[in-house]
Amino acid sequence: MFRMRKIVKKRAGKKGARSISVIGGADGPTSVFVAGKVKSRKNGDKKEQERERMLQEIIDRIVPGKRSMEEVCAYLKSELGAEERELEDRRRECMKYNILCRYFPERLPPAPEIEGKHTRARVEKWADECRSRVERIQASAENLDLDMDLRLFELPLVVKGEKIGCFHVEMEMYTGYLSCDWNYDIGDRNVDQRDIREAGERLMAGIMRYRGLASEDIENRTPEFWNYITMEQYLGQR
């Protein structure tokens, strides 16, 4: 039930090469509890009640306390053996874009809507407007006049004692932005994709649990809150 939403990018080229990015956000884990329409209102109420009950059980186990970004950096280095890396221009642009969307929505242009009946022409026009909006946001992110301290950490992605790729942690020290992704190249090795996914998710879950949540995150149900809830459920199933 509690599945983390991911954007999975499969890169063409060398056999076995893969890159997985996990992007947290308010529209990600939040959907765990609100997504899906049901035919029966009665059944829908029961499912909603069950989701709320499970959510409350996790919340009741949380001890509020959020570590600083500096403490998370120290944890990555000392406990996980991560090393800080230089940010490539493309990754830097993507980070700024994500930070703008997550923390400064008031700076975003309004989202386009489909007016009237959803005809093919109107849907295509809407899609074009959405693409144009993304381009405008990207341009705004590149010229963002905010003081940012962007960091990138890298550590090995290990499956069954063998390093098969790299795990990355993106951080912005002032906003508290934190995002993880990993890439790997299994080549001709016999490695189960599920084991790779579990290795990446376990690393990410441990980082989020270490960071913790502030009381404000719980009360306001921030993006960090929903990411944390998803990771707690993941750890509880292992």
Side-chain angles (χ1 to χ4, degrees):
M1 181 182 293
F2 291 75
R3 294 182 179 177
M4 173 148 309
R5 293 179 56 180
K6 300 174 182 64
I7 295 178
V8 180
K9 301 177 182 178
K10 296 185 177 180
R11 296 180 178 174
K14 187 175 179 180
K15 180 181 178 181
R18 295 289 185 273
S19 177
I20 296 181
S21 297
V22 181
I23 303 176
D27 64 338
T30 308
S31 62
V32 167
F33 298 97
V34 300
K37 294 183 179 179
V38 292
K39 295 181 179 179
S40 168
R41 176 65 182 175
K42 184 177 180 180
N43 289 339
D45 290 342
K46 288 183 178 179
K47 290 183 178 181
E48 180 64 26
Q49 291 172 4
E50 178 65 12
R51 284 192 290 265
E52 286 297 329
R53 184 190 65 79
M54 297 177 70
L55 172 61
Q56 192 58 49
E57 285 182 357
I58 297 176
I59 292 175
D60 291 342
R61 296 197 300 266
I62 297 175
V63 179
K66 193 172 186 178
R67 290 183 171 89
S68 68
M69 297 299 278
E70 288 76 12
E71 289 176 304
V72 176
C73 288
Y75 169 77
L76 291 173
K77 294 178 180 178
S78 62
E79 299 298 325
L80 300 183
E83 297 181 357
E84 191 163 1
R85 300 297 190 197
E86 290 291 331
L87 276 165
E88 297 178 352
D89 290 342
R90 179 57 181 163
R91 185 182 285 270
R92 184 184 299 275
E93 292 173 4
C94 289
M95 289 176 67
K96 287 184 176 181
Y97 173 84
N98 292 334
I99 291 167
L100 179 61
C101 292
R102 185 183 298 187
Y103 297 102
F104 305 99
E106 70 281 358
R107 297 194 176 200
L108 304 180
E113 297 181 0
I114 301 177
E115 297 181 1
K117 187 178 180 180
H118 289 197
T119 63
R120 179 172 181 177
R122 286 173 176 169
V123 170
E124 290 177 349
K125 178 183 177 183
W126 170 81
D128 289 339
E129 291 174 348
C130 287
R131 284 190 288 269
S132 176
R133 179 175 183 264
V134 169
E135 291 173 357
R136 294 200 304 272
I137 295 173
Q138 289 174 334
S140 298
E142 292 175 9
N143 301 315
L144 200 59
D145 58 343
L146 294 172
D147 188 17
M148 288 191 181
D149 184 359
L150 302 174
R151 307 279 185 91
L152 175 67
F153 292 90
E154 180 181 289
L155 57 149
L157 181 65
V158 179
V159 176
K160 296 182 178 180
E162 183 178 6
K163 177 185 175 182
I164 64 166
C166 296
F167 184 94
H168 300 102
V169 183
E170 299 176 348
M171 302 175 65
E172 200 290 307
M173 307 302 285
Y174 302 138
T175 59
Y177 169 83
L178 189 153
S179 182
C180 302
D181 66 79
W182 57 91
N183 55 64
Y184 55 90
D185 183 359
I186 59 178
D188 295 326
R189 288 172 289 189
N190 184 22
V191 180
D192 194 319
Q193 299 283 344
R194 290 171 295 183
D195 291 335
I196 298 173
R197 174 176 171 176
E198 181 175 344
E201 290 183 342
R202 181 168 289 278
L203 275 172
M204 182 169 59
I207 293 169
M208 289 187 176
R209 173 174 276 185
Y210 176 82
R211 187 187 183 193
L213 285 176
S215 298
E216 293 77 9
D217 290 317
I218 301 173
E219 293 171 4
N220 299 322
R221 300 200 173 184
T222 62
E224 286 78 11
F225 167 82
W226 290 112
N227 290 336
Y228 187 94
I229 289 295
T230 303
M231 288 295 92
E232 278 296 314
Q233 179 63 23
Y234 168 80
L235 290 172
Q237 293 175 342
R238 293 299 186 272

